[in-house]
Amino acid sequence: MSAEVLEHPAVTSGEDRGKEVAPRCAFVIFGVTGDLASRKLLPALYALHRRGYLHPETTIVGYGRSDWNDETLREHARESLEADPGEFDRATWEELAPRLVYVRGGYGEAEGMQRLKRLLGESQQENRVFYTATPPSTYPRLIESLSEAGLQQSDEGWTRLVIEKPFGHDLQSAVALNDLAIRHFDESQLFRIDHYLAKETAQNLAVLRFANTVFEPLWSNRYIDHVQITMTEDLGVDGRGSFYEQSGVIRDVFQNHLLQLLSLVAMEPPANFDATSVRNEKVKVFHAMTCPAPADTVLGQYVAANGMPGYREEEGVDPDSKQATYAAVRFEIRNWRWSGVPFFVRSGKRLERKATEIVLRFRNPPHIPFSLPAQPRPDRLTLRLTPDEGIDLRFNTKVPGQEIALERANMEFTYARRFERPNPDAYETLLLDTMTGDATLFMRADEVEAQWRVVAPVLEEQDRLTEQPCPYPAGSFGPPEADRLLAGSGRHWHRPGDG
């Protein structure tokens, strides 16, 4: 069913009037009592309702194992929304609250699935979204249970299954999960979610490249020296020590978020910006990537410093753990556009600040006709995803005066200063895309498997560790060993937030 254009009471401004509203559906959240639903999914659905994107007859169904009822779910949702008082509007909430209903059941429980099926039939919701806000270990049985209950398809409408990351634990498990999902659902029904793809700056990459002639001609090994992709976090494992012991930095953010950002930087221009065309180009990037050698990888683990505990002192962590909380990896893409351009990707916990950014460092000019005391600093384009989303271009300019002296100039764009309306939360974008059937910002089966193939050698390198990864003080910039990946070429890590 195509999306409908509706007038909705929440639509008040002329700019928003006539917007595309999602089709009427049942939005089912498995694991509605959990943290993801409280922090992200319920607030995103509320925001879509408030902004007029959620169909006024859409039902939100919470499914969980807790002994709740409709009123319990509504109270839980209201408390979650009131945590952000600036966004909470009581009249809007009172419109939405009656549309929240609860079904109790286990994720592999036939009786619970039958109760869900009866509710969907009684509410005559033929269009259905099933969202897996549950532990990854539940995904296989949940998929099978939906199929056994006959909920994998609808006679009159559509059915879509949203699968949260991590999608598998390694290449073998990802292939097995894909095979299972595709046995019970068509690939067109599967929406593998990565919320980083919905951040405004990540989406703006395509506009920056393909809607501006000033950038796309420079986007190649002829002009770009190297690319850095950084995701730093100032927090530790934040009470998730047991989970992090099983995942580590590579599974947590490299295989998904960071490789997805890399593919957006490196992909060829698609013929159309639709799901098939965009995902085809991203898969080509992963197939052209070399798997990093041990010399291309630095793994680290934070230790106690600056009044903060070390990773091994965190709750749920093995006191002798060899799990990596930091990684810096050099990737190469062997194709015509990027041959010879290294992509340096890094992420870590307990670093000095929280930031996510993409830095393209350009080559120096082949000849500079001025007499200068030193080589000028190379031009740099930075795309910030967090904090303060925006784009920053640094280049050289002449200082006023009789002599030729250079100084750095800066052209900066930020969403907050340029636009009055706030950026929508990434989950708002992705949930709306799910309901309207736009899979452009979601991952395809071959895409997920290609990403696991790329990071497999890094996971193998970690498994071979016989001692703690390179230690770095909590609150620092990371292990100094990571500097060797860029050493000897005049390159250095860009410090997030620096000019």
Side-chain angles (χ1 to χ4, degrees):
M1 180 185 293
S2 62
E4 304 167 36
V5 177
L6 300 175
E7 292 295 333
H8 187 275
V11 179
T12 57
S13 70
E15 183 179 0
D16 286 341
R17 197 170 290 125
K19 64 174 66 173
E20 184 178 288
V21 177
R24 177 178 183 266
C25 69
F27 197 102
V28 182
I29 302 174
F30 291 105
V32 74
T33 62
D35 184 61
L36 177 62
S38 298
R39 289 189 305 108
K40 294 296 184 181
L41 303 184
L42 292 171
L45 290 166
Y46 167 83
L48 291 173
H49 169 67
R50 184 176 184 180
R51 294 166 56 206
Y53 286 107
L54 195 67
H55 194 287
E57 296 178 8
T58 284
T59 303
I60 300 171
V61 182
Y63 185 104
R65 294 174 294 190
S66 298
D67 187 16
W68 285 13
N69 56 32
D70 295 352
E71 289 305 317
T72 315
L73 173 60
R74 292 165 189 167
E75 180 65 19
H76 172 77
R78 185 181 59 79
E79 291 175 356
S80 298
L81 297 173
E82 287 180 335
D84 186 357
E87 293 296 319
F88 183 76
D89 175 73
R90 184 167 297 278
T92 304
W93 164 246
E94 289 176 355
E95 291 176 359
L96 183 65
R99 293 155 56 188
L100 272 68
V101 295
Y102 184 75
V103 175
R104 183 185 179 190
Y107 303 129
E109 180 190 319
E111 291 181 6
M113 289 295 172
Q114 289 300 323
R115 285 193 289 270
L116 175 61
K117 186 175 183 178
R118 285 194 298 272
L119 184 145
L120 295 177
E122 291 167 0
S123 62
Q124 297 182 330
Q125 295 283 17
E126 293 294 340
N127 296 327
R128 300 157 183 178
V129 173
F130 297 117
Y131 198 110
T132 61
T134 58
S137 60
T138 67
Y139 295 169
R141 185 61 192 131
L142 187 52
I143 291 169
E144 292 173 339
S145 296
L146 284 167
S147 179
E148 290 166 0
L151 289 170
Q152 81 279 24
Q153 58 187 5
S154 175
D155 294 336
E156 301 294 334
W158 46 256
T159 300
R160 294 169 189 146
L161 175 64
V162 183
I163 304 178
E164 265 284 350
K165 81 167 189 75
F167 197 87
H169 189 72
D170 52 20
L171 177 57
Q172 182 178 1
S173 60
V175 170
L177 184 55
N178 274 329
D179 289 346
L180 175 67
I182 293 172
R183 277 204 305 273
H184 298 284
F185 290 83
D186 186 80
E187 175 65 36
S188 64
Q189 297 177 279
L190 299 172
F191 286 66
R192 301 171 188 83
I193 195 168
D194 187 334
H195 72 272
Y196 254 70
L197 294 182
K199 288 186 177 289
E200 286 294 328
T201 302
Q203 295 183 76
N204 201 28
L205 259 170
V207 175
L208 184 76
R209 288 183 59 186
F210 308 137
N212 297 287
T213 55
V214 69
F215 289 115
E216 177 56 24
L218 308 180
W219 217 269
S220 73
N221 52 12
R222 183 173 181 182
Y223 298 105
I224 294 177
D225 177 81
H226 72 276
V227 178
Q228 296 182 28
I229 301 177
T230 297
M231 178 182 176
T232 59
E233 298 183 74
D234 55 355
L235 298 176
V237 294
D238 198 23
R240 300 189 307 153
S242 299
F243 163 78
Y244 207 81
E245 279 287 87
Q246 301 300 315
S247 63
V249 66
I250 301 300
R251 291 184 172 92
D252 191 33
V253 296
F254 260 76
Q255 182 273 334
N256 36 71
H257 299 334
L258 295 176
L259 285 187
Q260 282 293 318
L261 292 179
L262 186 152
S263 69
L264 291 175
V265 173
M267 72 180 189
E268 292 298 315
N272 298 290
F273 206 75
D274 57 46
T276 299
S277 301
V278 170
R279 294 194 288 189
N280 284 347
E281 297 303 335
K282 288 197 293 179
V283 168
K284 290 177 186 177
V285 170
F286 297 132
H287 286 325
M289 290 178 69
T290 59
C291 296
D296 296 324
T297 301
V298 173
L299 300 174
Q301 185 185 95
Y302 63 86
V303 296
N306 301 308
M308 292 177 281
Y311 175 68
R312 293 181 174 189
E313 287 91 56
E314 299 276 14
E315 182 181 354
V317 173
D318 183 343
D320 298 317
S321 175
K322 302 177 183 64
Q323 184 59 271
T325 63
Y326 175 99
V329 183
R330 172 191 172 116
F331 294 103
E332 292 187 6
I333 302 172
R334 294 185 177 175
N335 62 17
W336 190 271
R337 181 184 292 266
W338 295 112
S339 180
V341 177
F343 283 70
F344 299 102
V345 183
R346 61 181 168 160
S347 181
K349 288 189 173 293
R350 284 280 188 225
L351 298 175
E352 65 175 5
R353 62 175 65 119
K354 178 180 176 62
T356 302
E357 63 181 27
I358 301 165
V359 177
L360 288 79
R361 207 208 78 176
F362 291 89
R363 298 186 184 278
N364 277 318
H367 170 67
I368 298 175
F370 314 115
S371 178
L372 298 171
Q375 183 83 349
R377 295 170 66 183
D379 301 336
R380 187 181 73 234
L381 180 67
T382 301
L383 299 101
R384 288 188 310 276
L385 281 79
T386 58
D388 196 18
E389 284 193 75
I391 301 170
D392 181 270
L393 177 63
R394 301 280 174 138
F395 57 96
N396 298 307
T397 187
K398 179 183 177 297
V399 177
Q402 300 302 320
E403 298 179 351
I404 298 292
L406 304 187
E407 189 171 291
R408 296 293 275 176
N410 177 34
M411 289 185 177
E412 185 177 28
F413 155 78
T414 63
Y415 283 91
R417 289 197 288 270
R418 174 62 181 85
F419 300 107
E420 292 182 2
R421 61 171 59 190
N423 288 346
D425 181 81
Y427 276 93
E428 291 178 41
T429 300
L430 293 169
L431 299 192
L432 181 61
D433 284 354
T434 301
M435 289 183 281
T436 58
D438 184 352
T440 305
L441 300 180
F442 296 81
M443 295 177 290
R444 203 168 59 195
D446 55 344
E447 192 175 348
V448 171
E449 293 172 15
Q451 289 172 251
W452 280 115
R453 179 193 62 82
V454 169
V455 301
V458 184
L459 294 172
E460 292 168 4
E461 176 69 10
Q462 178 169 292
D463 290 341
R464 286 193 292 267
L465 291 176
T466 57
E467 56 187 30
Q468 183 183 27
C470 300
Y472 62 94
S476 71
F477 194 53
E481 289 84 352
D483 294 341
R484 70 171 171 78
L485 294 181
L486 288 78
S489 57
R491 300 166 179 150
H492 64 275
W493 287 113
H494 173 63
R495 201 179 190 95
D498 284 0

